């Protein structure tokens, strides 16, 4: 086994990126756009943590909050700084902070964490201010940024700890914030700062070590038949209270409060009477602990019922590298809060409390409901008028029994590899007159993934590297009207257009990209933006769901490039494929070439080892891509290899061609520096300078690679039989399988998932009518966890479904 491990390690190192065929079975971005310096970016020397953004399109600026600085950047070009204001921590504050045991240069600084619009000229700003949160008003007038110097108390509005996640939202003149209210970070609150301030109860049933990520406002009072109120939704993760588990398990939640809430009269005085929360279900294809919500974006629709929350989830166990995006309709969340059953705590055995479905009578007006027509009819026009019975009920039972299910039954996107961090979603009008949701998702290694879900099929159109270093993207903002995206990280802000159709240089490539922003323009013969190609009278082609490029004009045949063959030399023929989902195919005189002791096919091209006279002829490099059952075979490059006329004849090779000499003399060799990045050259300068051994080394490498490929193929096959891939898998519940334990300390009762590998692309994760996910946390005792070691004594608790059974 250790031999196998060592072998696969060597293989992994050797094969490196060249054999992407294996990884293509995951949800792989079709195109990878490496870091380019042309993107507009902003950073100031000595300033870090550019993590707070406020778009003020009305003022033409992007406000960017960093550590001890706030900038007003041109919203059309963030590299243009219009104004800046510095808000440094005072020496005294810094000293106090270090006395309390915090790091002077890291924690005892002022991190700008809150930036909200107040009115046409003013903003509200809060900073951590050396563990002593402080807020202020800021104006942008006549091109100048100015802090008012009001120094308001920021406790509860902004975290003490700069590393702590939090969320806040300005609705009218009210600031809603979800953060810790004390120095230790141990007292979480959801707070409304207004004429009538309200907060959550300090009870672990309300909030248990939460990690707040997002808040947004939904104007549900609009045309509401039941006279309902507007709501503020909050997304966070916290310790689960509904599972039996020995160690802490986190769950993802959505909570909401009513805008018109004024607290209770005796019970819940100055506390929310409308704080309700529910678990968010987002099941990964592999069995795992519940994934943790990291960021959310509300894709708004004119009709709020059709608005959708898109949420990014990452695994709670570091063993897993699988992130997902799940989407939830506002109306589904609303239904659970306004009609769903509650959970209630029940004492089981000694001091053990279990949360189960409440089956008793629910008081009227319904606990947690906003003041609506039902309450008004009973003569209650404010939450202050609500009866104690309703208020006591909700004080003790803020959790809903049922979890919120994703809109599509399962994730919109599943991605292995670097974890996803932030998300924004654009609604794009395509040529077919339909709107498509395009997700832009930041990663922990400085990329943005641009992804869509076409009727269940997952597709990552492209991944764009925004930062040269692998830094996490900590902020992502979208200005849809201008087609711009803004990203923030520790090291600066970057602006990126939502699309760059010119990346696709042929019609086939443009169509296969399936990018709703782009279409092939027959007149201009280029891939261009759907919106820039003004009137739709221009004939243009787009095929988003099908990826059907059959209407594309026939491409001009690829002209063969002449190459000179010097016997005994290694010959390198470059070939770059445009899509990560395509496979490379090399052909030579009607034969398909494979990597063996003579040929070595790598990501940058083909290597012919120790060429002989019989190798002369025509070589063609093809890109073979499958989309929706169609196969597109395109010739990418062609080379005519001709025998050198005599010794040293290699010197006559056409410039740009490349014949690598291994005979020790350097004449007859020309490097094509432009052909490909140097790091993909299998013959590094060191090996070239030791020519006698190059051939043998190369042969050895090629042979070993082949061996490794076979080995990895076998491993992959074995693995794929038992595990899942990111894409098409079907699931089935089985009643007979009984209990099973996974490596992730979990036990799923009477349900196992069956996963099938279906194809090389990302795909449909769930059949439409399948509501059961691989791991189904109902949390009402139907399923429960046991640690790895079998603890049967807990089994008795696992079968309580609701209160009536106790
Ligand atoms: C701010 O950026 C610095 C420099 O990269 C980093 O060391 C520090 O951890 C960051 N602080 C926060 C709160 O993210
Ligand atoms: C904007 O708000 C600030 C702070 O509340 C206030 O001082 C200022 O008068 C307001 N300006 C306008 C134009 O309403």
């Amino acid at each position: 086994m250790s031999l196998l491990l060592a072998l696969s390690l060597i293989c992994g190192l050797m094969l490196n990126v060249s054999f992407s065929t294996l990884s293509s079975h995951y949800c792989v971005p079709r195109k990878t756009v490496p870091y380019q310096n042309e993107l507009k970016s902003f950073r100031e020397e000595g300033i870090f943590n550019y993590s707070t953004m406020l778009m003020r399109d009305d003022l033409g600026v992007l406000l960017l909050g960093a550590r001890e600085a706030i900038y007003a950047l041109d919203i059309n070009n963030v590299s243009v700084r219009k104004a800046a204001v510095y808000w440094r921590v005072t020496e005294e504050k810094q000293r106090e902070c270090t006395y309390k045991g915090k790091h002077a240069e890291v924690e005892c600084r002022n991190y700008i964490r809150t930036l909200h619009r107040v009115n046409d000229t003013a903003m509200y700003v809060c900073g951590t201010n050396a563990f002593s949160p402080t807020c202020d008003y800021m104006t942008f007038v006549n091109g100048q940024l100015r802090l008012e110097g009001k120094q308001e108390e920021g406790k509860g509005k902004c975290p003490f700890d700069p590393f702590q996640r939090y969320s806040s939202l300005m609705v009218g003149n009210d600031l809603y914030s979800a953060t810790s209210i004390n120095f230790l970070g141990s007292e979480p609150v959801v707070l409304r700062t207004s004429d009538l301030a309200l907060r959550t109860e300090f009870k672990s049933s309300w909030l248990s070590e939460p990690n707040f990520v997002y808040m947004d406002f939904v104007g549900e009072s609009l045309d509401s038949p039941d006279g309902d109120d507007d709501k503020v939704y909050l997304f966070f993760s916290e310790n689960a209270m509904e599972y039996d588990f020995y160690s802490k398990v986190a769950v993802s939640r959505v909570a909401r409060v009513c805008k018109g809430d004024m607290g209770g009269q005796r019970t819940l005085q100055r506390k929310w009477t409308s704080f309700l929360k529910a678990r968010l279900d987002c099941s990964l294809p592999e069995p795992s602990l519940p994934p943790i919500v990291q960021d959310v974006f509300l894709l708004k629709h004119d009709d709020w019922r059709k608005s959708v929350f898109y949420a990014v989830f990452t695994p709670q166990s570091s063993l897993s590298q699988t992130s997902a995006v799940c989407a939830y309709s506002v109306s589904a969340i609303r239904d659970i809060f306004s009609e769903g059953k509650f959970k209630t705590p029940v004492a089981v055995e000694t001091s053990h409390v279990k949360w189960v479905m409440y089956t008793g009578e629910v008081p009227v007006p319904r606990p947690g409901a906003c003041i609506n027509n039902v309450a008004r009819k009973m003569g209650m026009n404010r939450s202050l008028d609500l009866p104690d019975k309703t208020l006591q009920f909700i004080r003790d039972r803020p959790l809903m029994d049922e979890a919120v299910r994703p809109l599509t039954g399962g994730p919109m996107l599943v991605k292995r590899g670097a974890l996803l961090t932030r998300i924004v979603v654009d609604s794009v009008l395509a040529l077919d007159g339909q709107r498509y949701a395009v997700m832009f998702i930041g990663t922990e290694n400085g990329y943005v993934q641009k992804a869509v879900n076409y009727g269940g099929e997952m597709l990552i159109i492209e991944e764009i590297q925004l930062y040269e270093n692998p830094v996490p993207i900590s902020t992502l903002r979208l200005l849809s009207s201008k087609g711009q995206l803004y990203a923030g990280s520790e090291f600066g802000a970057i602006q990126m257009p939502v699309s760059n159709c010119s990346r696709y240089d042929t019609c086939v490539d443009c169509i296969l990209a399936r990018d709703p922003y782009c279409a092939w323009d027959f007149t201009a013969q280029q891939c261009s933006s759907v919106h820039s190609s003004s009137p739709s009278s221009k004939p243009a082609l787009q095929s988003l769901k099908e990826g059907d490029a059959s209407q594309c004009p026939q491409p001009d045949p690829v002209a063969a490039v002449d190459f000179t063959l010097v016997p005994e030399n290694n010959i390198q023929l470059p070939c770059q494929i445009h899509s990560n989902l395509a496979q490379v195919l090399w052909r030579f005189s009607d034969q398909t070439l494979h990597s063996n002791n003579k040929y070595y096919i790598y990501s940058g091209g083909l290597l012919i080892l120790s060429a002989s006279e019989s190798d002369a002829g025509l070589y063609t490099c093809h890109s073979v891509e499958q989309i929706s059952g169609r196969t597109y075979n395109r010739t990418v490059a062609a080379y005519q290899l001709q025998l050198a006329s005599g010794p040293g004849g290699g010197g006559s090779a056409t410039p740009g061609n490349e014949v690598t000499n291994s005979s020790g003399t350097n004449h007859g060799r020309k490097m094509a520096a432009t052909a490909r990045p140097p790091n993909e050259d299998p013959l590094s300068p060191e090996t070239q300078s030791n020519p006698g051994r190059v051939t043998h080394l190369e042969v050895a490498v090629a042979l070993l690679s082949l061996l490794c490929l076979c080995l990895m193929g076998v491993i992959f096959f074995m693995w794929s039989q038992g595990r899942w891939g990111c894409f098409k898998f079907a699931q089935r519940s089985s009643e007979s399988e009984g209990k099973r334990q996974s490596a992730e300390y979990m036990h799923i009762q009477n349900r196992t998932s069956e996963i099938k590998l279906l194809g090389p692309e990302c795909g449909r994760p769930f059949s439409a009518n399948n509501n059961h996910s691989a791991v189904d946390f109902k949390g009402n005792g139907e399923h429960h966890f046991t640690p790895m070691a079998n603890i049967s004594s807990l089994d008795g608790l696992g079968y309580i479904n609701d209160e009536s059974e106790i």
Side-chain angles (χ1 to χ4, degrees):
M1 193 60 209
S2 62
L3 181 79
L4 220 125
L5 217 93
L7 245 169
S8 41
L9 201 78
I10 296 167
C11 287
L13 286 176
M14 257 178 50
L15 297 172
N16 199 7
V17 283
S18 14
F19 293 98
S20 50
T21 44
L22 281 182
S23 58
S24 78
H25 287 276
Y26 299 109
C27 207
V28 178
R30 184 172 178 275
K31 216 177 179 73
T32 301
V33 182
Y35 176 75
Q36 344 146 46
N37 234 340
E38 302 101 73
L39 287 179
K40 292 164 185 139
S41 67
F42 175 82
R43 69 165 300 186
E44 190 183 336
E45 204 53 46
I47 304 279
F48 296 97
N49 318 92
Y50 301 83
S51 52
T52 309
M53 282 183 188
L54 173 66
M55 291 184 297
R56 289 294 304 253
D57 201 14
D58 54 339
L59 302 176
V61 291
L62 174 77
L63 293 163
L64 176 64
R67 189 166 75 186
E68 311 201 321
I70 305 153
Y71 303 94
L73 309 175
D74 186 338
I75 201 150
N76 297 308
N77 181 355
V78 296
S79 60
V80 177
R81 176 175 127 172
K82 288 191 164 176
V85 64
Y86 298 92
W87 184 359
R88 299 202 171 87
V89 69
T90 60
E91 260 178 50
E92 189 197 341
K93 276 264 183 268
Q94 199 168 23
R95 213 177 313 120
E96 274 173 34
C97 174
T98 33
Y99 283 153
K100 290 177 191 163
K102 301 292 174 187
H103 192 290
E105 284 310 307
V106 178
E107 291 159 307
C108 300
R109 306 284 294 269
N110 190 20
Y111 293 81
I112 306 301
R113 299 296 303 274
T114 306
L115 272 173
H116 290 297
R117 182 203 150 98
V118 175
N119 56 32
D120 284 351
T121 54
M123 271 71 65
Y124 197 61
V125 190
C126 304
T128 58
N129 201 23
F131 264 78
S132 154
T134 309
C135 299
D136 201 353
Y137 286 92
M138 181 177 73
T139 55
F140 182 66
V141 182
N142 300 329
Q144 292 291 313
L145 268 186
R146 207 170 65 82
L147 286 166
E148 302 270 293
K150 287 220 169 85
Q151 303 273 328
E152 287 190 1
E153 173 66 67
K155 218 163 90 172
K157 301 176 190 169
C158 171
F160 286 68
D161 182 346
F163 290 96
Q164 204 175 59
R165 288 292 297 275
Y166 98 109
S167 185
S168 69
L169 180 74
M170 199 73 133
V171 180
N173 286 323
D174 298 349
L175 179 72
Y176 290 79
S177 52
T179 184
S180 264
I181 205 159
N182 64 340
F183 182 87
L184 291 175
S186 56
E187 284 173 19
V189 284
V190 179
L191 188 76
R192 184 181 69 200
T193 312
S194 59
D195 296 339
L196 189 71
L198 285 189
R199 65 168 173 83
T200 39
E201 183 87 79
F202 289 128
K203 282 176 103 177
S204 65
S205 56
W206 282 49
L207 295 167
S208 175
E209 296 179 41
N211 200 21
F212 301 110
V213 302
Y214 182 81
M215 260 187 189
D216 216 328
F217 173 80
V218 180
E220 292 180 26
S221 66
L222 192 74
D223 302 328
S224 169
D226 5 291
D228 203 358
D229 194 4
D230 296 337
K231 316 265 166 58
V232 169
Y233 286 89
L234 167 69
F235 290 80
F236 62 105
S237 56
E238 66 169 349
N239 288 335
M241 52 213 228
E242 60 262 52
Y243 301 137
D244 291 321
F245 197 65
Y246 272 136
S247 59
K248 283 178 186 169
V249 176
V251 281
S252 301
R253 302 259 194 237
V254 55
R256 68 104 167 104
V257 291
C258 304
K259 184 170 168 249
D261 199 341
M262 299 169 81
Q265 192 69 260
R266 283 189 303 271
T267 312
L268 291 179
Q269 208 179 52
R270 304 224 135 210
K271 314 264 167 63
W272 299 106
T273 66
S274 57
F275 181 85
L276 288 177
K277 62 179 181 179
R279 190 171 58 78
L280 284 173
D281 176 87
C282 181
S283 303
L284 298 180
E286 56 195 312
S288 64
L289 292 172
I292 299 306
V293 62
Q294 292 298 339
D295 193 31
V296 180
F297 182 84
L298 176 60
L299 186 61
K300 291 187 173 144
H301 192 281
D302 289 339
D303 177 3
W304 63 262
R305 288 166 195 85
K306 293 186 182 146
S307 296
V308 174
F309 287 108
Y310 285 78
V312 165
F313 292 84
T314 59
Q316 94 174 258
S317 141
S318 55
L319 293 172
S320 174
Q321 281 280 294
T322 307
S323 311
V325 176
C326 280
Y328 306 90
S329 76
V330 169
S331 50
I333 299 176
R334 177 202 147 87
D335 287 351
I336 286 190
F337 288 136
S338 60
E339 286 153 32
K341 293 210 157 31
F342 293 89
K343 271 202 193 299
T344 191
V346 179
V348 190
E349 294 174 355
T350 47
S351 76
H352 180 79
V353 170
K354 193 175 161 53
W355 286 77
V356 297
M357 189 209 283
Y358 177 80
T359 51
E361 204 178 311
V362 176
V364 182
R366 184 181 160 93
C370 306
I371 297 297
N372 54 21
N373 292 344
V374 175
R376 285 188 199 101
K377 240 179 238 155
M378 295 170 75
M380 301 163 193
N381 294 311
R382 305 169 306 165
S383 62
L384 293 165
D385 305 331
L386 289 170
D388 278 343
K389 219 173 155 200
T390 292
L391 296 178
Q392 280 158 4
F393 185 99
I394 202 62
R395 183 191 59 198
D396 299 333
R397 299 173 190 88
L399 178 63
M400 306 310 297
D401 181 59
E402 207 184 322
V404 184
R405 300 252 173 221
L407 192 61
T408 47
M412 284 269 178
L413 184 81
V414 179
K415 170 120 184 23
R416 295 259 289 183
L419 297 178
L420 305 178
T421 56
R422 297 291 184 271
I423 185 168
V424 292
V425 184
D426 197 8
S427 169
V428 188
L429 185 64
L431 279 192
D432 61 8
Q434 284 198 49
R435 289 200 163 267
Y436 295 92
V438 179
M439 303 173 257
F440 295 90
I441 313 158
T443 68
E444 62 173 359
N445 62 346
Y447 280 79
V448 163
Q449 310 279 336
K450 178 177 174 181
V452 285
N453 189 307
Y454 290 129
E457 184 197 359
M458 303 168 186
L459 173 69
I460 301 180
I461 298 168
E462 53 190 8
E463 61 175 358
I464 300 123
Q465 187 181 8
L466 290 191
Y467 292 91
E468 207 169 358
N469 302 320
V471 289
I473 289 182
S474 54
T475 316
L476 211 51
R477 288 289 135 90
L478 170 74
L479 187 57
S480 191
S481 60
K482 289 207 160 83
Q484 298 296 321
L485 211 66
Y486 307 93
S489 79
E490 281 173 16
F491 300 112
I494 291 197
Q495 177 184 355
M496 171 196 130
V498 290
S499 68
N500 181 353
C501 303
S502 64
R503 275 203 266 275
Y504 305 105
D505 47 10
T506 64
C507 176
V508 173
D509 206 25
C510 181
I511 301 306
L512 297 193
R514 300 163 79 193
D515 185 332
Y517 292 102
C518 302
W520 182 257
D521 183 335
F522 286 109
T523 324
Q525 301 237 330
Q526 64 184 22
C527 193
S528 48
S529 167
V530 172
H531 299 286
S532 71
S533 60
S534 39
S536 52
S537 58
K538 273 211 261 176
L541 183 65
Q542 199 177 46
S543 173
L544 301 180
K545 285 186 180 153
E546 302 294 319
D548 181 359
S550 57
Q551 288 180 51
C552 276
Q554 277 297 319
D556 296 334
V558 176
V561 177
D562 287 334
F563 243 80
T564 306
L565 184 155
V566 181
E568 308 281 293
N569 283 10
N570 296 330
I571 298 171
Q572 226 174 313
L573 302 175
C575 177
Q576 278 291 331
I577 297 289
H578 294 293
S579 161
N580 297 330
L581 302 180
Q583 297 206 310
V584 196
L585 189 80
W586 277 94
R587 290 183 66 82
F588 169 57
S589 59
D590 289 338
Q591 280 179 336
T592 301
L593 304 182
H594 301 282
S595 279
N596 54 24
N597 59 358
K598 180 153 185 64
Y599 302 110
Y600 179 73
I601 297 172
Y602 66 106
S603 63
L606 170 74
L607 185 70
I608 305 170
L609 301 171
S610 185
S612 67
E613 288 174 22
S614 60
D615 289 327
L618 181 69
Y619 290 80
T620 48
C621 171
H622 305 258
S623 146
V624 182
E625 188 163 2
Q626 277 192 333
I627 287 184
S628 307
R630 288 186 199 83
T631 304
Y632 293 95
N633 186 332
R634 289 178 283 160
T635 311
V636 182
Y639 298 97
Q640 186 72 48
L641 231 64
Q642 286 158 339
L643 209 57
S645 40
S652 65
T654 345
N657 289 1
E658 194 178 351
V659 177
T660 314
N661 193 329
S662 66
S663 69
T665 56
N666 253 3
H667 81 275
R669 212 184 114 200
K670 285 203 169 160
M671 291 298 289
T674 52
R676 57 193 151 45
N679 58 351
E680 284 184 58
D681 192 339
L683 298 179
S684 66
E686 295 88 75
T687 48
Q688 281 176 23
S689 65
N690 195 354
R693 286 158 65 185
V694 167
T695 320
H696 296 117
L697 194 88
E698 282 300 321
V699 171
V701 165
L703 272 172
L704 247 164
S705 302
L706 206 72
L707 198 101
C708 287
L709 247 186
C710 296
L711 196 84
M712 286 181 76
V714 169
I715 293 171
F716 177 70
F717 178 76
M718 279 156 49
W719 168 84
S720 65
Q721 294 298 298
R723 288 269 162 239
W724 60 282
C726 146
F727 47 127
K728 306 194 180 185
F729 57 88
Q731 294 175 326
R732 191 182 71 184
S733 58
S734 132
E735 298 305 320
S736 58
E737 286 259 356
K739 296 175 186 178
R740 205 181 66 167
Q741 282 172 345
S742 84
E744 297 239 33
Y745 311 99
M746 114 162 0
H747 188 132
I748 306 148
Q749 214 101 42
N750 291 338
R751 189 165 293 165
T752 73
S753 60
E754 185 190 318
I755 291 143
K756 288 185 202 136
L757 274 120
L758 291 174
E761 332 155 359
C762 313
R764 273 163 243 269
F766 291 84
S767 54
N769 58 357
N770 189 349
N771 272 337
H772 295 310
S773 27
V775 181
D776 184 357
F777 295 94
K778 269 204 161 167
N780 56 8
E782 194 177 327
H783 317 298
H784 72 276
F785 315 110
T786 55
M788 277 273 255
N790 197 358
I791 292 151
S792 51
S793 64
L794 261 181
D795 277 8
L797 301 177
Y799 294 93
I800 305 166
N801 276 321
D802 62 56
E803 215 184 355
S804 57
E805 294 178 29
I806 297 169

